[in-house]
Amino acid sequence: MELRNLKYFLAVAEELNFTKAAEKLFISQPPLSRQIMELEEELQARLFNRNNKKVELTEAGKYFEKEVKELFQNLERISLKAKKIAENVSGEFRIAYISSIYSSVISDLIKQLKEQFPYVNFKLFEVSTTKQILALEQGKIDLGIIRSPVKSPKIKSQLWFQDGFSVVYNKSLIQINSEEEIPNLKDETFVFFNKDYAPHYHEVLLELCAFYGFEPKIIHESNNINSIVQLVKNGLGISIVPSNIAKNNSDTKIGFIELKKVNLFTDVSLITSKEDDSEITKSAVEFLLNFSKK
C-alpha cells in the first residue's frame, strides 16, 4: 500500500466526486478510479458507493478516512520531530519571555547556548504569557518563560523561581520609608499592567492593594514592565512590580519597598513541549534552573 494511493483516497473522500478529486490531484479521472479500485481490492473492502448521481463513503470508508487522516498527522509530527533533532546541529531555536524577567539573564543564556551550539540561530521574542502558551502549542516557539499557571496537556511546565512584590516610586515625589507606610499610598495614582494583556497578574496586584486596605486608582496601563518603571520615574504614578526587577534596578531616582507581610507570590515557570527532548532545550532549561539556585 503506497502513500500516493492513500492521498488519492483522501481527495475522493473529501470531494465525493471523482472528477473534482482528479482536478485537485492534477491527474485524469481514469487513473484515479483505477487506483481507488486497486486500493479496495487490496483491503478487500468497498470504500465508496458510487453511481451516476453521487459518490458516498461506506461505513468501512468512513472508518478508513478517519484512520488515514490520523496517519498523515502522525507522519507530519514525526517529520517535524526529525527536523527538530537535526536542528541540534544547525537551525533555529526560538525563546519567548515576559518583560518582567531581568534581561541580563536572557543575555547570559544566549551566550551559553551559542558556545554549545554555534551553528544555531537563536531568536528572542518578548511575548505575554497567554500568547506564549498558544505559540508553544502551535510549535511557533521552543522555550517560554512565563508568569502564571499553565493548563495545557501539550506543555511541560517547570517552576523556575517564586517572586515576591515591591512598590516602586519616584523618590522626589513620594516620601515613604517602610512597608508600614504602604496604606498611606491609597490616594496616589497607580501604573499597572493592562488587564487584558496579563489578567492573572493584574488580579494579584489588586489583591495586594486590598491587603493594605485600599483600592488603587489606576490611571496608566502598560504591557511592558520597563515602561511601567519608566512612567514611575517620570512622575506619572507609582506601581507594584516583581521583586527581582527591584533587586536588579540601580536607578537612584526611584525607590523600592518590598512587600514582605503579604503572603502572595508569583510563579515564574519554564515551559516546553512535552514532545521536545532536544539537547538545546535540555541545555537551556538546565542553565536557567542552575541560575535560579545561585
Side-chain angles (χ1 to χ4, degrees), residues 150-168:
V150 180
K151 296 180 181 179
S152 171
K154 299 179 181 180
I155 290 176
K156 178 183 178 181
S157 176
Q158 293 177 264
L159 178 65
W160 186 16
F161 64 89
Q162 276 197 321
D163 203 357
F165 295 92
S166 295
V167 168
V168 55

Side-chain angles (χ1 to χ4, degrees), residues 2-218:
E2 298 182 9
L3 288 177
R4 179 184 61 182
N5 293 343
L6 298 180
K7 290 180 179 178
Y8 287 174
F9 163 75
L10 286 179
V12 178
E14 182 178 337
E15 299 293 339
L16 293 178
N17 184 298
F18 277 80
T19 301
K20 291 182 179 179
E23 292 174 353
K24 184 177 181 180
L25 294 165
F26 300 103
I27 61 174
S28 59
Q29 184 175 332
L32 176 60
S33 299
R34 185 169 59 252
Q35 293 288 345
I36 296 299
M37 290 178 63
E38 289 178 1
L39 180 61
E40 290 179 320
E41 289 175 4
E42 184 176 354
L43 292 171
Q44 297 185 351
R46 180 175 288 277
L47 301 174
F48 297 98
N49 288 322
R50 43 207 185 267
N51 53 45
N52 293 333
K53 294 183 178 180
K54 62 180 178 178
V55 176
E56 293 179 330
L57 282 164
T58 63
E59 289 303 313
K62 292 177 182 177
Y63 168 78
F64 195 64
E65 179 189 25
K66 175 178 174 295
E67 294 297 322
V68 170
K69 283 183 175 178
E70 186 173 325
L71 170 65
F72 277 106
Q73 288 172 354
N74 286 334
L75 283 173
E76 183 179 5
R77 177 182 57 79
I78 292 169
S79 298
L80 289 172
K81 182 67 177 294
K83 180 186 176 193
K84 180 57 64 180
I85 292 173
E87 287 176 349
N88 283 336
V89 178
S90 64
E92 185 176 278
F93 191 83
R94 300 150 300 179
I95 302 172
Y97 63 97
I98 47 176
S99 65
S100 54
I101 296 301
Y102 195 55
S103 59
S104 68
V105 179
I106 306 300
S107 298
D108 290 343
L109 170 63
I110 297 301
K111 182 180 179 181
Q112 172 74 15
L113 292 176
K114 286 299 290 184
E115 290 177 357
Q116 290 182 271
F117 309 96
Y119 302 109
V120 174
N121 181 24
F122 292 97
K123 291 189 174 182
L124 293 174
F125 305 92
E126 187 179 299
V127 186
S128 70
T129 290
T130 304
K131 290 184 178 179
Q132 278 193 53
I133 293 171
L134 180 60
L136 188 58
E137 288 177 335
Q138 295 176 344
K140 294 180 179 179
I141 62 172
D142 302 287
L143 170 65
I145 303 175
I146 66 167
R147 192 184 291 273
S148 77
V150 180
K151 296 180 181 179
S152 171
K154 299 179 181 180
I155 290 176
K156 178 183 178 181
S157 176
Q158 293 177 264
L159 178 65
W160 186 16
F161 64 89
Q162 276 197 321
D163 203 357
F165 295 92
S166 295
V167 168
V168 55
Y169 60 96
N170 184 308
K171 288 182 177 179
S172 64
L173 299 176
I174 302 293
Q175 301 300 317
I176 181 172
N177 299 306
S178 67
E179 186 177 2
E180 283 68 25
E181 298 177 52
I182 298 297
N184 297 338
L185 300 176
K186 59 184 178 61
D187 295 323
E188 300 293 336
T189 57
F190 279 77
V191 184
F192 268 15
F193 262 101
N194 181 274
K195 183 178 180 180
D196 295 329
Y197 183 83
H200 176 76
Y201 188 68
H202 185 90
E203 287 300 318
V204 171
L205 297 184
L206 294 180
E207 286 185 50
L208 286 167
C209 292
F211 176 85
Y212 291 97
F214 64 91
E215 183 177 343
K217 297 177 182 178
I218 304 171

